[in-house]
Amino acid sequence: MTALIVAASLLIGVSLGILGGGGSILTVPILVYLAGQDTKEAIATSLFVVGVTSLAALIPHARAHRVRWRTGLLFGAFSMAGAYAGGRVAEYIPGTVLLVAFALMMLATAYAMLRKPRNGKKKARPAHRDLPLKHIAVEGLVVGAVTGLVGSGGGFLVVPALAILGGLPMGIAVGTSLLVIAMKSFAGLAGHLSGVSIDWGIALTVTVAAVAGSLIGARLAGRIPQDALRKFFGWFVVVMGVFVLAQQLDSAVWTHPATWAVVGAAGAAAVAGWAVRRPRHRAVTARE
């Protein structure tokens, strides 16, 4: 089982190194279902693992000049405030509720990853330009609060916030997100430590493996097609999210007709959306 935990932990680091996110989405299920930790201990431990691993992955990105320091430090400062508050509030929320919220966030994140960007919607901000302070404050507080509540480092929230809302180039958004993730992960951990104890043996084992993976991932960054990797990881997150959700919800929920009515409606909407976009894609391809 230890070997399986170490192997899975390598994926945590590889994900952070390449995508600038995804660490906690993997870490919490690994700690709960492989290491046998309870939900709140796993969430607190994941914040430590992801915080240390993000710092390790940040180094090669910084050397490659893919970090916007002012934006990252300000975003991280606001996120730390939100993460600490979220960590304190999480102490009073049942573990099952936190895991369900975590699973739903995984599915929302997967949707954002798999959704095709709208070309020309927003131009990337020049490499030397920083984000406006008001944007940094609002986005940082919101993402930080999610981090503290459900133990997610928030990379898949930070990167879109920096790249889509902030207009930073994707490579810089990934590198900058690691600085933000590290800052708010430690802040969220501080909030959790008031009510949760950590098994430091498991925490350090997972962290060492994740750091090794992060160095590998950072070297691979830029060599792997990001769109293909994002789609693969997006579907992987879908599977993990459904698995966690299935483990937490009562069997009566899954056998209730209303549940399958919602699932069917969602599936029909997805197919309809794909069918509508498909002709447009073919038309664009034909023109090209």
Side-chain angles (χ1 to χ4, degrees), residues 201-238:
I202 293 178
L204 292 175
T205 299
V206 173
T207 300
V208 169
V211 166
S214 74
L215 299 178
I216 297 172
R219 290 199 170 199
L220 292 175
R223 300 182 183 180
I224 300 176
Q226 293 297 301
D227 288 340
L229 186 61
R230 184 173 58 191
K231 288 180 181 179
F232 170 79
F233 202 82
W235 284 112
F236 178 74
V237 172
V238 168

Side-chain angles (χ1 to χ4, degrees), residues 30-114:
I30 288 170
L31 292 173
V32 171
Y33 300 112
L34 295 184
Q37 294 189 344
D38 62 56
T39 302
K40 293 188 177 182
E41 182 183 6
I43 288 175
T45 304
S46 76
L47 290 168
F48 173 79
V49 173
V50 172
V52 174
T53 306
S54 297
L55 286 178
L58 175 65
I59 296 174
H61 281 280
R63 289 177 176 174
H65 305 289
R66 293 194 296 263
V67 179
R68 188 73 55 79
W69 293 102
R70 177 184 176 276
T71 296
L73 289 172
L74 287 173
F75 198 114
F78 285 108
S79 294
M80 287 174 72
Y84 180 79
R88 294 303 299 269
V89 172
E91 181 181 351
Y92 304 100
I93 301 177
T96 299
V97 174
L98 290 176
L99 268 185
V100 169
F102 184 75
L104 293 176
M105 191 196 71
M106 291 172 71
L107 295 176
T109 294
Y111 172 78
M113 293 174 64
L114 294 171

